Amino acid sequence: MATNLFDYAYDLEKALRNSNEFIHLKMMYTEVENDEIAKSMFDAFRNIQMNLQQKQMEGRDITETEIMEAQEIANQVQGNEKVTRLMEAEQQLSMSINELNKIIMKPLDELYGFINQ
Amino acid sequence: MATNLFDYAYDLEKALRNSNEFIHLKMMYTEVENDEIAKSMFDAFRNIQMNLQQKQMEGRDITETEIMEAQEIANQVQGNEKVTRLMEAEQQLSMSINELNKIIMKPLDELYGFINQ
Ligand SMILES: [Ca+2]
Ligand SMILES: [Ca+2]
């Protein structure tokens, strides 16, 4: 790969690191990290999410107990402002990153004739 | 998102479009497109691959007949120089894109403490 291509990626990385969305996400993340209750909720929620995703990817069945556990933690999480703000910040950044990926991958989409709107 | 971030993505997109790897991939793709035998092999291989991936994602069983069919087409494909060159070009570009993604996603990896080598 031409050095060039890497250079453009490094520029984009720097822009992402200095973007309002990323700086906001970092702040929201620090707020959760510094709050024991918020932190343990966030970790528990993330763990359950990752477990369920893993099971789904492996084609294993998800039990009713697991669904109920996930819902219980999701409810707790919705009541904690720091965690919900962090999750909103994550979602915003994730949407921006999807937009960036769409832009960057356009040459390949065109080559293979895919249409992602 | 700041306009800025988009601008950097557009620059990277342009660099990718003008990169040797992408131009090479386009040439290899055109060679296959212009050769009926190569084209039908490539399409058949791609279709089977996508079917199997879809089934796997949905946790459905893959039959022995399907595995044998996939192997048969994979063998045919390996005997066709145009198709193998296209697949090599795809793999090379895909490796470069993985590198680019690693660079761009570094701020997020750092924030969450993941290590992707
Ligand atoms: Ca697209
Ligand atoms: Ca990394």
Side-chain angles (χ1 to χ4, degrees):
Chain A
M1 174 165 47
T3 318
N4 221 9
L5 205 44
F6 279 117
D7 287 344
Y8 287 107
Y10 283 117
D11 286 346
L12 179 56
E13 186 261 350
K14 216 183 300 163
L16 184 61
R17 195 184 287 277
N18 295 324
S19 69
N20 289 336
E21 282 128 314
F22 184 69
I23 290 167
H24 176 68
L25 173 60
K26 266 207 309 203
M27 274 166 49
M28 296 303 104
Y29 188 68
T30 306
E31 291 238 336
V32 166
E33 282 286 310
N34 292 337
D35 178 329
E36 253 177 66
I37 291 169
K39 171 88 170 88
S40 72
M41 266 184 206
F42 181 69
D43 287 345
F45 186 64
R46 183 101 334 161
N47 281 338
I48 283 202
Q49 260 189 330
M50 271 166 36
N51 269 335
L52 294 187
Q53 265 174 22
Q54 187 68 29
K55 279 193 121 180
Q56 214 167 14
M57 267 170 25
E58 291 167 1
R60 289 191 289 152
D61 286 338
I62 290 164
T63 66
E64 251 177 82
T65 319
E66 284 173 319
I67 293 173
M68 273 165 55
E69 265 177 22
Q71 267 168 352
E72 205 185 298
I73 293 185
N75 287 341
Q76 282 175 20
V77 153
Q78 268 160 19
N80 186 294
E81 222 178 298
K82 286 183 189 171
V83 179
T84 50
R85 276 192 308 220
L86 171 54
M87 282 162 62
E88 273 165 30
E90 285 183 329
Q91 219 171 352
Q92 268 166 26
L93 189 70
S94 150
M95 271 162 42
S96 298
I97 285 170
N98 283 343
E99 289 297 310
L100 295 179
N101 277 328
K102 260 196 225 166
I103 292 170
I104 300 163
M105 291 308 139
K106 210 151 186 255
L108 281 163
D109 284 346
E110 284 173 16
L111 181 59
Y112 290 109
F114 294 149
I115 298 161
N116 301 328
Q117 291 295 359
Chain B
M1 175 166 45
T3 318
N4 220 9
L5 205 44
F6 279 117
D7 287 344
Y8 287 106
Y10 283 116
D11 286 346
L12 179 56
E13 187 261 350
K14 216 183 299 164
L16 184 62
R17 195 185 287 278
N18 295 324
S19 69
N20 290 336
E21 281 127 314
F22 184 69
I23 291 166
H24 176 69
L25 173 61
K26 266 205 310 202
M27 274 166 50
M28 296 303 104
Y29 188 68
T30 307
E31 291 240 335
V32 166
E33 282 287 311
N34 292 337
D35 178 327
E36 254 178 65
I37 292 170
K39 172 87 170 87
S40 71
M41 266 185 206
F42 182 69
D43 287 346
F45 186 65
R46 184 101 332 160
N47 281 339
I48 284 203
Q49 260 189 331
M50 271 166 37
N51 268 334
L52 294 186
Q53 264 173 23
Q54 187 68 29
K55 279 193 122 180
Q56 214 167 15
M57 267 170 25
E58 290 167 0
R60 288 191 288 153
D61 287 337
I62 289 164
T63 66
E64 250 177 83
T65 319
E66 284 172 319
I67 293 173
M68 272 164 57
E69 264 177 24
Q71 267 168 353
E72 204 185 297
I73 292 185
N75 287 341
Q76 282 174 21
V77 152
Q78 269 160 20
N80 186 295
E81 224 179 296
K82 286 183 190 170
V83 179
T84 51
R85 276 193 308 222
L86 171 54
M87 282 164 60
E88 272 165 29
E90 285 184 328
Q91 218 171 353
Q92 267 166 25
L93 189 70
S94 150
M95 271 162 41
S96 298
I97 285 170
N98 282 343
E99 289 297 310
L100 296 179
N101 277 328
K102 259 195 225 166
I103 292 169
I104 300 162
M105 291 308 141
K106 211 152 185 256
L108 280 163
D109 285 346
E110 284 173 16
L111 182 59
Y112 290 109
F114 294 149
I115 298 161
N116 301 329
Q117 291 295 357

